[in-house]
Amino acid sequence: MSLSVESTAAEIARAVNARDASAREITETFLRHVDAVDGAVGAYLRVEGELARAVAANVDARVGAGEGLPLAGVPLAVKDNMCLIGTKTTCGSRILENWTAPYTSTAVQRLLDAGCVPIGKTNLDEFAMGSSCENSALGVTRNPYALDRVPGGSSGGSAAAVAAREAAIGMGSDTGGSIREPGAFCNLVGFKPTYGRVSRYGLVAFASSLDQIGPLTRSVEDAALAYDAMAGHDPCDSTSLDRPLERTATALRDNLRGMRIGIVREFSLDKLDAPLRAAYERAYRDLEELGATLVDVALPTADYGIATYYLIAPAECSANLARFDGVRYGLQVAADDVNGMYERTRAAGFGPEVKRRVLIGTYALSSGYYDAYYVRAQKARTLVARDFASAFERCDLIASPATSCPAFALGAKSDPYSMYLMDYYTIPMSLAGLPALSVPCGWVEEGSATLPVGLQLCAPHFAEAVLLGAAHAYERTTRHAGRHAPRLEVRR
Amino acid sequence: MAERIDVRYVATLARISLTDEEVERFGAQLGALLEHVAALGKLDVASVPATAQVVESRNVTRDDVSVPSLDRETVLDAAPHRQGAFVRVPRILTE
């Protein structure tokens, strides 16, 4: 078959393994396309053409030697908070703007081992803190479906790259929704596995008890292939799960018969604008038509998710980001004494959102406030997890909106708290460590733009195969993703 | 539960120097956030344990044997200022 930038990861891998195409040809095709469109999109902070060509040549050699590679020749976009040896890893921050990673993260390495070709490193909200990519200190990323709008965040660069056909798989990290929300905004499958399924070794830490790596792709099958390659225990991450993995790419279903899907009472669609509400009502009906039984479930603490998250995540971030002190790596701003050097380096190196979160986290952990804020939030987190445990006694999956609105205009949310509200539907699953994904479920018109909408599906711990299997049944029946194409200015 | 934050003091704890404008702006923004998180006060958590692990709880140890890791040169080369086998920083002790 003939491959193009429209090909899925599964199609590319099949063709390369069958030697109908070479990884080198595919890489050149994608690099040309990136050159033509990324000026308008801004998905990549850096394109690693030389590295991509060398890796592609190696993939061709491995396939030539008889190796079967599940992701042979698949172009990969790597979020720039994941280490790839010899390349810069900036986290979208001035403080790491010139830092070169001395090792490769486990998740990236596993995708390379599976045959992926890294095209470049993608933009993100600084240290993955944000929901629009606008908190990056190093560049602007635009939504390929409406260039005056955000791609979502924090994994906005990887989402934009895959949506604009500048890669077939994008790597994201999700702390409170940073894979699922950009997935929804960019017409993609955005999949956050169970906490601990994918090693965090080499992922620059934001909130360690929440951070999880996952793929952004244009099909559920591609998400399953990427997850199967990335997941599994890693001795370098003591929180990575050491338990059996079920292959998901072979568990994809074409109906939902016998499945009970919970609809969350507290996530009433009445809160949403009419077009979005209509898209979700239609999605719930489609789930039923595929054979699922919809059941009413309650998550009484869902409305406390944002408050809980915005204490726990900043607390962990303030501890994790203490390492950026100008001593061992990254930016250093000179001063007469060491405290002055720390304070000036961090003042110059961190952007406003990072400073806000470090400050709130420091406050929540400080003497006299620790019990009132941090401990109370960790107790609320227990209640959120218990709510899900009760709900999953009555259902196999939970369906909900992924976001409360479609992609918004660049600059539209200047108040930090209005941005925090973007994670309303995704945070509870993060707090409970559950696997969840966003899958395209329709389109809404706003002005001259036609914007994608994402349905969130969530499963119990470790039930990735059930989750992806059901998402596949929904995707192949409804086929929403293919109805509209990105609007890109192509530079010749 | 909501309080006005002494932003300059917290910034000292966090080792970030702030301009007067930042103190003003972050003070207002963090105060607003604290009003929102005060909603947690409505939850009855008296008998609820704080979350430590959400997925599974187990101790993780490994055998006490040395394994390869990053070599010293690579690590030192990443430092903004190195001097021989050391990382150089400004004065720590004052007279």
Side-chain angles (χ1 to χ4, degrees), chain A residues 332 338 356 373 376 378 382, chain B residues 1 29 43 49 51 81 91:
Chain A
Q332 183 187 100
V338 77
R356 268 191 292 275
Y373 289 110
R376 191 166 194 95
Q378 288 289 25
T382 302
Chain B
M1 202 153 100
Q29 290 167 338
L43 285 174
T51 292
H81 294 290
R91 191 179 59 210

Side-chain angles (χ1 to χ4, degrees), chain A residues 241-263:
Chain A
L241 296 168
D242 190 4
R243 51 185 303 138
L245 272 177
E246 194 179 346
R247 262 182 62 78
T248 60
T250 50
L252 303 179
R253 303 166 52 132
D254 49 21
N255 66 69
L256 300 174
R257 280 197 285 279
M259 197 167 261
R260 296 163 305 162
I261 297 185
I263 305 296

Side-chain angles (χ1 to χ4, degrees), chain A residues 99 102-103 194-196 209 233 238-243 301 304 306-308 310-311 314 326-332 335-339 341-344 346-347 350-360 362-363 366 369 372-373 375-383 385-386 414-417 420 430-433 461-462, chain B residues 1-19 22-23 25-27 29-62 68-71 74-82 87-94:
Chain A
W99 184 67
Y103 67 104
T194 304
Y195 177 78
S209 79
H233 182 246
S238 60
T239 61
S240 73
L241 296 168
D242 190 4
R243 51 185 303 138
T301 53
Y304 296 93
I306 290 177
T308 304
Y310 277 97
L311 289 169
V327 174
R328 288 156 299 160
Y329 32 66
L331 179 73
Q332 183 187 100
D336 291 340
D337 65 11
V338 77
N339 271 328
M341 187 274 284
Y342 295 151
E343 292 187 349
R344 287 191 201 175
R346 290 160 66 81
F350 292 149
E353 183 59 28
V354 173
K355 287 178 186 171
R356 268 191 292 275
R357 296 205 196 186
V358 168
L359 291 172
I360 198 77
T362 303
Y363 179 75
S366 64
Y369 299 100
Y373 289 110
V375 174
R376 191 166 194 95
Q378 288 289 25
K379 290 181 172 183
R381 186 176 186 177
T382 302
L383 294 178
R386 284 181 184 170
S414 53
D415 166 51
Y417 194 75
Y420 299 168
S430 296
L431 290 171
H461 290 143
F462 322 124
Chain B
M1 202 153 100
E3 318 237 355
R4 183 80 190 168
I5 301 184
D6 181 349
V7 174
R8 209 171 279 285
Y9 171 67
V10 176
T12 307
L13 294 178
R15 301 280 187 267
I16 300 175
S17 65
L18 297 181
T19 64
E22 283 178 316
V23 169
R25 179 158 45 98
F26 291 155
Q29 290 167 338
L30 299 184
L33 179 63
L34 287 186
E35 280 174 32
H36 289 290
V37 304
L40 291 181
K42 287 188 265 174
L43 285 174
D44 179 9
V45 293
S47 59
V48 179
T51 292
Q53 296 283 332
V54 281
V55 178
E56 61 179 20
S57 196
R58 73 199 149 90
N59 200 14
V60 179
T61 58
R62 67 168 176 83
S69 71
L70 292 176
D71 66 274
T74 305
V75 174
L76 285 165
D77 276 344
H81 294 290
R82 75 175 275 193
V87 169
R88 191 184 167 94
V89 294
R91 191 179 59 210
I92 292 172
L93 298 175
T94 49

Side-chain angles (χ1 to χ4, degrees), chain A residues 74-440:
Chain A
V74 173
L76 179 70
V78 180
K79 187 177 181 180
D80 208 22
N81 59 352
M82 298 177 203
C83 294
L84 172 57
I85 189 166
T87 69
K88 285 185 181 175
T89 298
T90 67
C91 295
S93 181
R94 294 273 173 225
I95 210 159
L96 285 177
E97 193 173 2
N98 293 306
W99 184 67
T100 298
Y103 67 104
T104 297
S105 64
T106 299
V108 171
Q109 187 61 52
R110 287 184 180 180
L111 288 177
L112 298 183
D113 291 346
C116 280
V117 174
I119 300 296
K121 303 293 289 292
T122 57
N123 200 14
L124 67 158
D125 288 293
E126 186 174 1
F127 285 103
M129 298 176 197
S131 306
S132 70
C133 231
E134 293 167 294
N135 291 334
S136 172
L138 303 181
V140 176
T141 302
R142 296 167 182 279
N143 190 314
Y145 289 90
L147 291 169
D148 56 346
R149 291 177 186 255
V150 303
S154 64
S155 310
S158 285
V162 177
R165 281 63 170 161
E166 299 179 68
I169 295 173
M171 295 183 77
S173 60
D174 190 312
T175 306
S178 281
I179 294 174
R180 289 162 283 165
E181 187 242 25
F185 281 8
C186 290
N187 192 31
L188 301 174
V189 177
F191 172 39
K192 181 197 92 74
T194 304
Y195 177 78
R197 274 297 201 196
V198 178
S199 169
R200 293 182 295 110
Y201 179 68
L203 169 70
V204 178
F206 156 21
S208 304
S209 79
L210 297 156
D211 296 342
Q212 187 55 200
I213 292 174
L216 287 142
T217 58
R218 285 190 286 113
S219 76
V220 173
E221 183 184 20
D222 284 1
L225 289 168
Y227 167 76
D228 286 345
M230 277 192 279
H233 182 246
D234 174 13
C236 294
D237 172 6
S238 60
T239 61
S240 73
L241 296 168
D242 190 4
R243 51 185 303 138
L245 272 177
E246 194 179 346
R247 262 182 62 78
T248 60
T250 50
L252 303 179
R253 303 166 52 132
D254 49 21
N255 66 69
L256 300 174
R257 280 197 285 279
M259 197 167 261
R260 296 163 305 162
I261 297 185
I263 305 296
V264 180
R265 198 175 304 159
E266 289 76 10
F267 291 164
S268 164
L269 299 182
D270 295 341
K271 297 177 193 171
L272 302 173
D273 287 346
L276 209 59
R277 187 168 69 230
Y280 288 122
E281 283 168 351
R282 172 70 197 271
Y284 294 170
R285 278 202 304 279
D286 286 337
L287 294 172
E288 261 185 317
E289 278 172 25
L290 278 160
T293 306
L294 301 189
V295 298
D296 176 56
V297 297
L299 297 176
T301 53
D303 281 342
Y304 296 93
I306 290 177
T308 304
Y309 178 89
Y310 277 97
L311 289 169
I312 292 171
E316 294 187 23
C317 119
S318 71
N320 274 325
L321 271 58
R323 74 193 61 181
F324 300 105
D325 57 7
V327 174
R328 288 156 299 160
Y329 32 66
L331 179 73
Q332 183 187 100
V333 178
D336 291 340
D337 65 11
V338 77
N339 271 328
M341 187 274 284
Y342 295 151
E343 292 187 349
R344 287 191 201 175
T345 296
R346 290 160 66 81
F350 292 149
E353 183 59 28
V354 173
K355 287 178 186 171
R356 268 191 292 275
R357 296 205 196 186
V358 168
L359 291 172
I360 198 77
T362 303
Y363 179 75
L365 292 175
S366 64
S367 174
Y369 299 100
Y370 181 83
D371 287 327
Y373 289 110
Y374 181 71
V375 174
R376 191 166 194 95
Q378 288 289 25
K379 290 181 172 183
R381 186 176 186 177
T382 302
L383 294 178
V384 173
R386 284 181 184 170
D387 276 359
F388 277 105
S390 304
F392 281 126
E393 286 172 8
R394 308 192 54 221
C395 62
D396 306 297
L397 290 178
I398 288 172
S400 76
T403 60
S404 54
C405 64
F408 48 88
L410 286 156
K413 295 195 188 293
S414 53
D415 166 51
Y417 194 75
S418 69
M419 192 73 85
Y420 299 168
L421 292 174
M422 287 311 304
D423 300 327
Y424 174 73
Y425 292 109
T426 51
I427 275 178
M429 295 73 181
S430 296
L431 290 171
L434 297 164
L437 58 76
S438 174
V439 58

